[in-house]
Amino acid sequence: MNIIISNSSDKPIYDQIAEQIKTHIINGDLKEAEMLPSIRNLAKELQISVITTKRAYEELEREGYIVSVPGKGSFVSAKNKELLKEARIRIVEEKLLEAVSTAKTVDISLDELQKMIEILYEEG
Amino acid sequence: MTPVLEIKGLRKEFKGFGLKNINISLNSGYIMGFIGPNGAGKSTTIKLIMNLLKKDEGEIRIFGMDNIKDEQEVKNRIGFVLDENYFYEELTVEEMKWVLAPVYKAWDEKTFKKYLKDFQLPPKKKIKELSKGMKMKFSLAIALSHNADLFIMDEPTSGLDPLVRSELLDILSEVIQDENKAVFFSTHITSDLDKIADYITMINQGEIILSMPKDDILNNYGLVKGGKELLDRDIRKSFVAIKENQFGFEGLAKDRKQAKKMFGDKVVIEKPTLEDVMLYYVRGNQNV
Amino acid sequence: MYNLVIKDILVIKKQFVFAFAYILLIIFAFQNMGEAKFAAGIVAFTYMLVMTSCAYEDKNKADVMLNCLPLKKSTVVLAKYISVFLYFVLGTAAYLIFQYIIGSMGFSIEIYPLTLQSFVGGLVAVSLLSGIYLPVFFKVGYMKTKILNFILFFGFFFGISFLIDILKDYQGSALLKNITEFLQNKSDAVIAAVILALVFIFLSISYYISLKFYKNREF
């Protein structure tokens, strides 16, 4: 999982972290019930204050993306199933759109495209 | 939670200088940067904490205990790195350790040897033959080898190159992974703290100017740059200080968002560094 | 505390060479002093080492470090007193060893073996010297004691003859008669014990004064 922060951005660092983790969760990089790095470890790695990482996790918890268990750590919350599903559907649509427009540029017909999808679906 | 370090109403008078009503509170698990210009009172405060100076008034509690009544117990758990080397220069690294180790209840020889190796400190080398950076690392090795819970550093990086400074900060980051430890770090090189400090306490002329989470300082304060015609008496009050030059002004505003609302697009607003904040508080208004 | 005493030897390692050389010197020279040789020698030996050790404390500003450690001030002060006596013991041992070696080498010099009087005399002299010097050192540090050093060291030699003159004046006094009567019948060992007891009391007072001064110091 990559977390890249910008010191010169106007956006507070805790905000940048929370946003990026949210994206990772929606993208599926972080799976349900997966454990997040500890706030101290994250602070050390990114060379920022532990108060910052704490705040980022607090925001994520408030918005329902993660759950913090005292003494154990923070985990991606299961409540996201619906959110995740919707986000994933969006991604599928996006990718299909891409496939459709690319197909059109090389004159692949709708029929041929559908056959390709069938084969791929069965294989994968 | 009992703060690891708690200073209340500390006062100390000297001829021509004095600490007035110092209040500081630090919980374990955090790094507090103690910043201020030279002569502001940073070393004096630390000497009072270590009972090297006698306070005129006030209370200093460490680990919940009085720093004078429970002096030995408190000092057993404090690791210190001072601005100068106060060890016996004629002794070797090893000999100095022989003198120091028996004093600490929880001395950890294995850890010390590991740090000697990591820092590449030759045990049989005389302390006076070590470079400034190596002397600081030796202090650090001692401080880290007796299971201390509070680390007090008085300008440990002054006069050291950026490489050694960055190595020290890495080690402090490692130390603070244990949420039962705390670090109190005084410096006038604020760039060291821009990244890793959790809290910042700023002192000037013996008085505490501010004490708050570093992020709050950097997220809330703003460097506002614009034309002088934008300033009037009331607007000036909302700034900590303003620097004016021939072509405009630059000021430190306490609330970035408010400044944005007030000036809109007419100004450039940037995130300040700790040094900017310190300089504006210390130097006040300037006409360049 | 032993670590502080050992520190007082390690830090001044180099000075020991000169100090031991001096012991060798007095065994050969100062033939006219006779028995008092040892006393004079051990005072100079100890003086050299104590001054050097105190000088290094100041030079390194070691007080700052020592007071950041979980060390009681009483331990720091006591260690210095014990160091003085460690120097005394080392000097005495050196004297005895050198004496023996030189004696068996057959030089044509008079060898004055250590007598109880000389030993006690030396002990008393060293105790007086350090008992006066150390409290001042703990109050103001080495740098400011330099003048005192000078006064003490030379004052000692003049002071002893001055003391003897005074004693002569009091020859006929009742007090002196009582004391001499008391001591007449006692063996040397008992006299020595009495003197040692007095010395111990003197040093204890010196220690308490040193500690009081040191406790009030700011670094």
Side-chain angles (χ1 to χ4, degrees):
Chain A
M1 162 174 77
N2 287 333
I3 298 184
I4 314 289
I5 51 177
S6 161
N7 279 312
S8 49
S9 158
D10 265 346
K11 202 165 182 197
I13 296 180
Y14 77 86
D15 213 1
Q16 295 177 41
I17 295 175
E19 282 303 312
Q20 290 184 41
I21 293 183
K22 274 185 219 170
T23 308
H24 285 309
I25 291 176
I26 293 178
N27 281 345
D29 298 331
L30 285 173
K31 317 250 187 299
E32 209 174 284
E34 190 171 329
M35 189 164 91
L36 289 162
S38 75
I39 55 173
R40 286 187 182 272
N41 192 16
L42 188 59
K44 181 182 96 155
E45 293 292 314
L46 296 177
Q47 292 199 299
I48 55 179
S49 162
V50 80
I51 297 181
T52 312
T53 53
K54 212 178 193 181
R55 210 163 158 190
Y57 278 30
E58 278 167 4
E59 183 172 302
L60 286 168
E61 193 167 7
R62 217 176 339 116
E63 297 183 15
Y65 283 90
I66 66 172
V67 176
S68 294
V69 181
K72 289 248 165 102
S74 301
F75 304 85
V76 177
S77 104
K79 285 193 228 150
N80 289 308
K81 264 216 159 97
E82 280 315 300
L83 267 165
L84 264 176
K85 194 168 179 187
E86 275 166 40
R88 290 244 167 99
I89 293 175
R90 252 181 281 133
I91 294 177
V92 171
E93 280 177 4
E94 268 171 50
K95 295 206 189 274
L96 280 177
L97 187 59
E98 221 188 311
V100 164
S101 39
T102 314
K104 283 194 177 159
T105 66
V106 288
D107 283 324
I108 299 178
S109 71
L110 179 58
D111 254 337
E112 284 168 329
L113 190 56
Q114 281 176 317
K115 284 204 192 108
M116 281 168 81
I117 293 178
E118 253 187 71
I119 295 173
L120 287 170
Y121 204 92
E122 244 118 69
E123 272 179 21
Chain B
M1 174 172 28
T2 321
V4 140
L5 173 65
E6 193 168 16
I7 301 178
K8 283 196 206 155
L10 184 63
R11 222 175 46 87
K12 172 75 179 170
E13 296 272 330
F14 292 101
K15 244 191 265 172
F17 169 72
L19 283 188
K20 310 163 190 96
N21 195 29
I22 303 291
N23 292 296
I24 298 176
S25 182
L26 174 64
N27 286 328
S28 72
Y30 298 107
I31 297 180
M32 174 176 279
F34 191 39
I35 66 176
N38 283 331
K42 301 191 294 295
S43 284
T44 305
T45 305
I46 288 185
K47 285 189 172 175
L48 284 163
I49 294 175
M50 299 302 283
N51 202 25
L52 290 170
L53 294 174
K54 304 205 186 303
K55 60 184 186 224
D56 290 335
E57 224 180 273
E59 213 189 326
I60 301 178
R61 301 195 78 80
I62 305 178
F63 311 119
M65 299 183 269
D66 187 84
N67 78 320
I68 297 177
K69 288 203 199 100
D70 299 302
E71 198 170 348
Q72 268 75 53
E73 205 182 325
V74 158
K75 286 181 176 171
N76 247 308
R77 295 165 62 188
I78 294 181
F80 61 90
V81 178
L82 302 176
D83 54 341
E84 268 176 62
N85 176 49
Y86 296 101
F87 297 117
Y88 296 100
E89 300 251 310
E90 297 71 32
L91 297 184
T92 65
V93 165
E94 207 170 39
E95 286 168 346
M96 192 66 234
K97 184 219 62 179
W98 284 335
V99 176
L100 293 169
V103 181
Y104 286 109
K105 268 194 220 158
W107 180 260
D108 186 346
E109 183 65 22
K110 233 170 90 178
T111 303
F112 183 70
K113 287 213 160 73
K114 171 178 144 344
Y115 279 115
L116 281 194
K117 224 168 84 174
D118 288 347
F119 297 159
Q120 294 178 311
L121 288 166
K124 305 232 189 273
K125 196 154 193 192
K126 287 213 176 123
I127 293 179
K128 68 175 162 208
E129 288 166 15
L130 296 175
S131 67
K132 196 165 200 285
M134 297 292 268
K135 283 183 191 175
M136 187 278 282
K137 285 184 180 173
F138 175 63
S139 267
L140 189 60
I142 301 273
L144 293 167
S145 301
H146 62 270
N147 286 302
D149 292 320
L150 172 62
F151 294 91
I152 294 186
M153 322 219 142
D154 188 5
E155 309 230 26
T157 57
S158 66
L160 298 181
D161 65 58
L163 177 63
V164 178
R165 298 214 313 260
S166 132
E167 287 175 304
L168 172 65
L169 296 178
D170 282 343
I171 290 176
L172 292 179
S173 293
E174 195 61 55
V175 162
I176 217 72
Q177 288 301 292
D178 181 345
E179 58 191 17
N180 294 315
K181 314 264 186 206
V183 176
F184 187 74
F185 188 122
S186 96
T187 182
H188 60 266
I189 307 176
T190 53
S191 53
D192 286 345
L193 300 168
D194 271 327
K195 291 214 181 126
I196 68 160
D198 298 311
Y199 292 94
I200 296 288
T201 297
M202 196 181 306
I203 187 173
N204 187 33
Q205 296 188 324
E207 285 184 68
I208 302 285
I209 299 177
L210 59 81
S211 186
M212 52 205 267
K214 179 203 67 181
D215 287 341
D216 288 352
I217 300 178
L218 299 182
N219 289 334
N220 296 343
Y221 284 79
L223 278 179
V224 179
K225 308 183 196 188
K228 287 192 270 199
E229 65 282 355
L230 296 168
L231 302 169
D232 67 35
R233 188 107 66 80
D234 287 323
I235 289 184
R236 280 173 192 270
K237 286 202 199 131
S238 64
F239 283 90
V240 167
I242 296 178
K243 215 172 19 170
E244 294 176 61
N245 64 54
Q246 254 189 322
F247 309 106
F249 80 89
E250 182 187 289
L252 182 70
K254 279 197 193 160
D255 189 344
R256 203 146 88 204
K257 295 200 179 94
Q258 191 191 56
K260 188 123 196 233
K261 266 190 231 158
M262 203 162 28
F263 295 108
D265 281 334
K266 299 197 211 127
V267 296
V268 169
I269 303 183
E270 286 172 347
K271 196 175 183 180
T273 61
L274 285 175
E275 189 173 301
D276 290 325
V277 177
M278 182 174 85
L279 288 175
Y280 272 95
Y281 269 105
V282 172
R283 296 186 75 176
N285 291 323
Q286 281 178 275
N287 258 308
V288 171
Chain C
M1 178 173 50
Y2 69 90
N3 55 324
L4 291 178
V5 176
I6 294 187
K7 172 261 295 176
D8 279 334
I9 296 194
L10 288 176
V11 174
I12 60 171
K13 262 184 274 187
K14 284 194 215 150
Q15 195 68 17
F16 268 96
V17 177
F18 291 109
F20 284 132
Y22 186 78
I23 298 263
L24 212 57
L25 178 70
I26 57 156
I27 290 181
F28 279 104
F30 302 129
Q31 293 290 317
N32 58 321
M33 276 189 115
E35 274 184 14
K37 244 205 302 195
F38 171 76
I42 197 70
V43 168
F45 175 86
T46 311
Y47 171 81
M48 239 189 272
L49 297 175
V50 171
M51 293 303 145
T52 312
S53 142
C54 290
Y56 274 116
E57 297 286 347
D58 256 30
K59 174 171 168 268
N60 289 301
K61 296 194 226 169
D63 282 320
V64 173
M65 184 246 327
L66 290 175
N67 282 286
C68 286
L69 298 173
L71 260 186
K72 287 205 194 130
K73 289 198 162 88
S74 57
T75 310
V76 175
V77 174
L78 189 59
K80 262 285 178 276
Y81 280 82
I82 293 185
S83 295
V84 172
F85 284 94
L86 187 58
Y87 299 150
F88 179 81
V89 166
L90 289 172
T92 306
Y95 188 88
L96 290 170
I97 293 173
F98 288 158
Q99 275 242 291
Y100 179 75
I101 295 177
I102 292 171
S104 36
M105 275 184 170
F107 284 103
S108 57
I109 50 167
E110 206 47 63
I111 300 294
Y112 293 93
L114 187 55
T115 61
L116 183 63
Q117 284 97 316
S118 199
F119 179 80
V120 173
L123 190 60
V124 171
V126 166
S127 304
L128 284 177
L129 202 64
S130 42
I132 297 175
Y133 177 74
L134 286 178
V136 183
F137 166 70
F138 279 112
K139 181 141 179 78
V140 297
Y142 174 77
M143 294 306 283
K144 300 208 180 122
T145 63
K146 283 206 183 137
I147 295 194
L148 176 71
N149 285 352
F150 191 78
I151 297 176
L152 266 185
F153 196 57
F154 287 102
F156 240 84
F157 290 100
F158 297 120
I160 289 182
S161 41
F162 184 68
L163 208 69
I164 294 177
D165 285 341
I166 294 187
L167 282 178
K168 285 208 189 110
D169 289 341
Y170 276 93
Q171 282 273 320
S173 80
L175 180 62
L176 211 60
K177 277 217 180 87
N178 284 334
I179 295 179
T180 15
E181 263 173 42
F182 175 74
L183 294 175
Q184 209 101 353
N185 306 323
K186 305 292 187 288
S187 68
D188 281 348
V190 174
I191 298 178
V194 170
I195 295 180
L196 286 177
L198 289 171
V199 161
F200 183 77
I201 294 173
F202 173 73
L203 283 176
S204 303
I205 297 174
S206 164
Y207 166 77
Y208 281 111
I209 297 177
S210 289
L211 185 56
K212 188 136 196 266
F213 284 161
Y214 198 56
K215 275 192 172 159
N216 283 329
R217 255 178 92 184
E218 296 200 320
F219 306 103

